[in-house]
Each structure stands twice: as structure tokens, then as C-alpha cells.
């Protein structure tokens, strides 16, 4: 993790390395999960990568946090 005070964008950065070799097709695919209730603010809004066919974000972020694995 790199503090936002040390980045040019002033945003923190997270590097994650799941120790997987490159493959084709890729193990992960892009996922954006958004759950809305009427006109309220979205209670769930997460973006990242996950496994094909599985509704989940393995490595990603939402409005408050970011996560990954090693």
C-alpha cells in the first residue's frame, strides 16, 4: 500500500499479486456489482475482477476500501 501523500494523484495505491501464471483465457474477468434500492444511494457498488460465472469481486474496490490477495 502506498499512501496518497506519496502519489502524484494524491490517492492511495494498492498492489496485489495472486501468484498466478499468465493464461489464455484469463482466470479472472472484470466485474462491476451495483445494487440499487429505488432512488437511494447505491448500498453496494464494487468493481474489480472475479471468476467467470461467479457473482463476486475477488480483487477490487468500492467507495471506501480496496482489497486483494497474495
Amino acid at each position: 500500500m502506498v499512501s496518497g501523500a506519496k502519489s502524484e494523484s494524491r490517492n492511495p495505491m494498492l498492489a496485489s499479486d495472486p501468484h498466478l501464471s499468465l493464461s489464455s483465457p484469463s482466470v479472472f474477468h472484470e466485474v462491476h456489482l451495483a445494487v440499487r434500492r429505488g432512488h437511494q444511494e447505491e448500498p453496494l457498488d464494487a468493481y474489480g475482477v472475479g471468476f467467470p460465472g461467479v457473482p463476486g469481486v475477488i480483487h477490487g474496490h468500492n467507495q471506501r476500501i480496496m482489497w486483494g490477495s497474495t
Side-chain angles (χ1 to χ4, degrees):
M1 175 95 172
V2 175
S3 166
K6 297 184 184 271
S7 73
E8 185 175 327
S9 69
R10 309 308 289 168
N11 293 317
M13 296 183 287
L14 174 71
S16 181
D17 181 5
H19 298 302
L20 297 173
S21 60
L22 295 176
S23 63
S24 184
S26 176
V27 173
F28 295 115
H29 71 285
E30 287 184 274
V31 177
H32 181 201
L33 296 177
V35 176
R36 296 180 176 93
R37 290 188 210 156
H39 297 290
Q40 298 176 356
E41 184 176 329
E42 298 179 52
L44 171 65
D45 188 7
Y47 179 81
V49 295
F51 297 117
V54 179
V57 179
I58 306 299
H59 302 259
H61 66 90
N62 62 21
Q63 297 294 340
R64 294 175 294 175
I65 62 172
M66 55 188 144
W67 59 91
S69 67
T70 301

